[in-house]
Structure formats: structure tokens, C-alpha cells
Amino acid sequence: MEVLFNRPYLTGREAHHLARVALSGKLSGNGQYTQMCQDFFRQRFGFRKTLLTTSCTDALEMAAILCNVQPGDEVIMPSFTFVSTANAFLLRGARIRFADTYSDYPNIDPEAVRELINQKTRVILVVHYAGVACDMDTIVALARQHNLCVVEDAAHAVDSFFRDRPLGSIGHFGTFSFHETKNIISGEGGMLAVNDERFAARAEIIWEKGTDRAAFSRGDVSKYGWKDIGSSFLPSELTAAVLYSQLEKFDEIQLKRKLVWQTYYEKLKPLEEMNLLTLPHLPEWASVNGNMFFLRVREPEERNELLSFLKKEGVNAVFHYLPLHSSDFFRPLHDGRILRHTDHFAGCILRLPFYNEMTENEINYVADAMERYFVNK
Ligand SMILES: *Cc1c(COP(=O)(O)O)cnc(C)c1O
């Protein structure tokens, strides 16, 4: 049996919605499908304003502009994340300060953030790893105390919560990804959630290449022109139509993904009870959104051995992230601090195959292969 790492889920309604866009003749961005998708997220999760983007990377770049990050300003973020989290702010000339994670979960540790705050700090950026909430009470309190902007990289975190608050709705900005490896997909795609009314008007201008074209489309102004810096951050209606097909099935998709997560958890629990691996432990404030299933072993050699064993058994597990602070690009720019927990997770985390349509049979097959590895060791 071969179990793929990811299989993008299509709902079957894509062709219908794409054909509607084609027949309407309106292919460019900010049309009906874009509006419907943006409304869905606003209504369901209470974001103040939502803007579809062509990626989460774009949404992060918009957030960096909106936080008004200037050359030399410092941005505190985890190193255990995807490159876009940092690149978006480097593009504005920011200095990136990487904070370590907790010892038992790869989310940013607010105490490590506190130690890095100084006169130049402008932004705290959190990543809700695998959809599990960071400690937003402490992060927001720190930001208020020092007058900082909070950005939530919620690329993993659609439909997940900090206590009863949706992730992406707590910071000034939340950024989402609809890349085909995430919960809800449109091939490439993303969204910026703006939660502070003061930034809403400027966000729309930056989104539309620095013009007030969105206001013009609504009939709020009689002509549009150049108002600010900006870029072409909005996706075409074709992308929005694919995203809309997913939103029609939002609850089914999420139900299925959470079930896959739960099934993995139960099947692997016995291995954890034998102290062979560690499953993700959730803080009391966090929820599960079925983003991915990861676990960790004690040391990198074991992780790599386990990965090749699984590969031989037809199970396509993977690892990530190569920590940003020790990447080829950033190493010379890093301040030299050792990020012990980050390095541990980078060496010991393993991600199992995960997709909506995974059968119980496939999950069992993966869990049995894991068990065989440990039994034969
Ligand atoms: C996937 C991901 C991104 C980038 O998303 P794109 O939509 O591919 O640009 C950013 N941050 C994190 C944490 C991610 O997992």
C-alpha cells in the first residue's frame, strides 16, 4: 500500500463555479465570488474586514506594510516557521529577531518574546503551529504595554480557537493560506483579516495597487487614483470561485479532518504510553482544527531512521521546518543566540500523511507501520 502525504480535496463543484465566472465575462479580482468568500469569513469568524489575496505570503506582506514597519524596526517571530513569515518583513527593511518556542510545543514562548522587546520593536508575529493557539492573552498584554502591532500567521489555523475566539481575529491582523496543502484550498490563495477598524481603509488601497479602485467599484468615489504604496495582492475571480466551492463544504471538510486527527491520536496513544514517541499536547486554551498530524521522537537520528523505514513501507511522512535562524540566507544576519527548543523540534518532528479523504484503513496502515518500526528496533 502507498499512502501519499497530501491529496488536495476537490468538492466537485469547482467546474460549475468556474464556468459561471467564465460565462459572466468578469475574470479579474474583487468580483462576486471574492465578495462571497470574504463575507463568509467575516460572518462566520467575526473578522472586521477580510481581503482575499493570492497567497498567505501576500497577506503577510500587506500586514508588514500596514504595521508601517520601517528600515531598522525590529519584528519578533518564531524561527520554526515558513520563510514567508520573515520575508514579508525583511522586504520592508525590518530586522528579524527570532524568539524560541516552548519546550513542549513549537509555538512562540511569550517569555522569550518579552526578553527581546526593546525601543526598536514594532511587531510581534505569532504562528499558530498546526492550528494550535499561541498564548494570545500574554502576547496581547505585552503588545499593549509596549504599543506593538500583533500579526497572527494563521496559515495553519483556519477554524481554530483561543478559548472562544477564532484565531486570526485577535491580533491587529490575521493571515490565512488556501494553498493546496492547507485545510481549505484554492490551489494558491490566501486572505488578510483586518481586526482593527483604523487599518481597514488603507488595507483596501494597498490591496488594489495603491489605488482607491475598491471604493470606486462600490460607487463611493466617482474616479479612482493613486493614494498610497501597494501591489497587486488580489486574486482573480477564478481563484475565488474555487475557494467558494470549498466554503460550500466547509463544515464537512472540517469534520472529516478533525476525525482523521482524532483517529491518529487514538491509534498512536499506546506508543506514547510506552514512551516511544510524544504526541502533540494541547494547552487548555487551544482547539484542534485538523490541520496536520505531527509527533516527535527523542532525537534526529531516530527521526531520520523512522522516516526511511516508513518510506520503505509506502508511507510518505515528511519533516519540517529547517529553522530560519540557521538557514543559509539568514545565518549571517542572526544575532547568534541559540534557540534550543526550536532546534529540538526541527530535528525531532515528523508529519504523517494527512488529507480529508483518508480512510480508516489507511490510518491503520500508517499506525501499524509506526508500531512495526518501534517493535523491531
Ligand atoms: C503555508 C504557510 C505560509 C505561506 O502560505 P502561502 O499561501 O503558500 O503563501 C506562511 N506561513 C505558514 C506558517 C505556512 O504554513
Side-chain angles (χ1 to χ4, degrees), residues 55-58 60 81-82 84-85 127 153 155-156 176-179 182 188-189 321:
S55 62
C56 182
T57 302
D58 265 2
L60 286 161
T81 181
F82 189 62
S84 297
T85 319
V127 177
D153 181 340
H156 303 174
F176 292 90
S177 176
F178 306 124
H179 184 266
K182 317 287 177 168
E188 304 281 349
Y321 293 104

Side-chain angles (χ1 to χ4, degrees), residues 19 32-33 43 141 164 171 185 190 230 234 268 287 296 311 322:
Q32 210 183 355
Y33 276 102
Q43 285 160 12
D164 58 351
I185 64 174
L234 71 175
L268 295 173
S287 63
R296 68 194 150 103
K311 181 88 201 156
L322 297 167

Side-chain angles (χ1 to χ4, degrees), residues 161-179:
F161 297 81
F162 173 76
R163 304 195 194 283
D164 58 351
R165 302 178 67 189
L167 299 185
S169 75
I170 303 165
H172 296 90
F173 305 103
T175 66
F176 292 90
S177 176
F178 306 124
H179 184 266

Side-chain angles (χ1 to χ4, degrees), residues 202-242:
R202 191 173 185 222
E204 199 176 70
I205 287 170
I206 289 164
W207 186 60
E208 268 280 22
K209 299 122 190 136
T211 74
D212 56 353
R213 188 176 185 164
F216 173 71
S217 304
R218 275 197 304 272
D220 293 353
V221 293
S222 59
K223 57 181 171 39
Y224 75 90
W226 192 10
K227 301 288 178 186
D228 203 330
I229 60 167
S231 191
S232 187
F233 288 119
L234 71 175
S236 89
E237 279 286 283
L238 296 165
T239 299
V242 175

Side-chain angles (χ1 to χ4, degrees), residues 267-285:
K267 305 261 181 221
L268 295 173
K269 192 79 191 150
L271 295 180
E272 180 173 63
E273 280 157 6
M274 289 185 271
N275 286 321
L276 298 169
L277 50 78
T278 309
L279 296 176
H281 291 185
L282 270 43
E284 38 100 19
W285 60 68

Side-chain angles (χ1 to χ4, degrees), residues 136-330:
M136 293 311 289
D137 279 344
T138 311
I139 294 290
V140 168
L142 274 175
R144 288 227 174 96
Q145 190 186 342
H146 297 277
N147 198 22
L148 309 174
C149 204
V150 175
V151 180
E152 298 177 73
D153 181 340
H156 303 174
V158 70
D159 193 31
S160 205
F161 297 81
F162 173 76
R163 304 195 194 283
D164 58 351
R165 302 178 67 189
L167 299 185
S169 75
I170 303 165
H172 296 90
F173 305 103
T175 66
F176 292 90
S177 176
F178 306 124
H179 184 266
E180 74 177 23
T181 52
K182 317 287 177 168
N183 293 46
I184 302 292
I185 64 174
S186 58
E188 304 281 349
M191 183 177 74
L192 178 72
V194 180
N195 301 313
D196 184 326
E197 186 58 36
R198 288 174 299 171
F199 297 104
R202 191 173 185 222
E204 199 176 70
I205 287 170
I206 289 164
W207 186 60
E208 268 280 22
K209 299 122 190 136
T211 74
D212 56 353
R213 188 176 185 164
F216 173 71
S217 304
R218 275 197 304 272
D220 293 353
V221 293
S222 59
K223 57 181 171 39
Y224 75 90
W226 192 10
K227 301 288 178 186
D228 203 330
I229 60 167
S231 191
S232 187
F233 288 119
L234 71 175
S236 89
E237 279 286 283
L238 296 165
T239 299
V242 175
L243 181 59
Y244 187 74
S245 323
Q246 300 264 309
L247 300 183
E248 287 180 322
K249 293 271 164 78
F250 191 89
D251 290 314
E252 285 106 308
I253 291 172
Q254 284 301 92
L255 199 65
K256 193 66 218 309
R257 293 187 74 97
K258 287 184 221 175
L259 184 65
V260 171
W261 194 96
Q262 200 59 44
T263 310
Y264 262 134
Y265 195 89
E266 281 155 23
K267 305 261 181 221
L268 295 173
K269 192 79 191 150
L271 295 180
E272 180 173 63
E273 280 157 6
M274 289 185 271
N275 286 321
L276 298 169
L277 50 78
T278 309
L279 296 176
H281 291 185
L282 270 43
E284 38 100 19
W285 60 68
S287 63
V288 166
N289 73 336
N291 171 257
M292 65 163 97
F293 197 91
F294 76 95
L295 52 89
R296 68 194 150 103
V297 294
R298 268 161 298 199
E299 46 184 34
E301 295 70 37
E302 189 175 36
R303 196 263 310 270
N304 299 341
E305 218 179 83
L306 175 53
L307 273 174
S308 13
F309 177 84
L310 291 174
K311 181 88 201 156
K312 278 208 302 275
E313 301 283 312
V315 173
N316 293 280
V318 303
F319 70 92
H320 76 168
Y321 293 104
L322 297 167
L324 300 182
H325 74 283
S326 49
S327 60
D328 288 345
F329 174 66
F330 201 84

